Amino acid sequence: MTEIKIIGGGLAGCEAAYQLLKRGHAVKLYEMRPTVKTDIHKTADLAELVCSNSLKSLDENTSQGLLKSELAMLDSLILKAANKHAVPAGGALAVEREAFSREIEKTLSDFDNFTLVRQECAEIADNTIVASGPLTSGKLAESIDKLLGGSRLFFFDAVAPIVTFDSVDMTKAYFQGRYGKGGDDYLNCPLDKDEYYRFVEELAGAERVILRDFEKGDVFNACMPLEVMAERGAESLRFGPFRPVGLTNPDGKRPYAVLQLRKEDNYNRLYNLV
């Protein structure tokens, strides 16, 4: 039996471990949390989702949906856990993140040939899979840099705030899915023209979170903070995450812009910003 070492207990590390375990290999998975903490993670759970709880589209006509179909054919642990602990999200696959993580950790722990080591690992030896993700420890980052021949590691993050349902004014907000797809799974907060531009103005001038030592202020275009997007033009949000297409207000009118909220749990208590 070949023993494989995996560094990192995120989505990639857990999926690699599962695929190896069911093929008879011994796996030693190194996860540094909680011995060594990060600035982003909140728990020591394997496969913790630290930003959005959405795993994107289920539509096979999209790259994300096609990838899920292929993962299903390969008996993906991540996909099985996500489907088991899914929350309503229209045409997307979103999960109740804590239950999702517990399911993955339990499945791996049930294998006799699985060992979970809660300590930092920076040694990249033979038979090692490096799956440490964007929150790589300093020591491991140095080891990777030596292999790559220079500093090539970057971390990008955008916080997704959690909103309580009882804080939403339901005399103005409403449940609906875009183009009626997947049911009325999204909570929509519509804005008229005046409200939208006032919001953009307030957002652009709002107090900012103080950047931590590892954050340099760079942004990743595919996951850009709202305030940065708003700075790039007043229409940026309306043609981005606030786009009103496919939605109709209860009065029959199309909103000028709309903030959508997605369920964070199955109890209709917590929502996150789409």
Side-chain angles (χ1 to χ4, degrees), residues 107-118:
T107 301
L108 294 177
S109 299
D110 285 343
F111 283 91
D112 293 333
N113 48 334
F114 176 71
T115 303
L116 177 58
V117 183
R118 294 284 187 176

Side-chain angles (χ1 to χ4, degrees), residues 165-175 187-189 250 271:
F165 178 72
D166 58 12
S167 70
V168 179
D169 185 352
M170 290 305 296
T171 64
K172 299 178 180 179
Y174 57 91
F175 285 98
L187 180 55
N188 302 281
C189 303
Y271 287 76

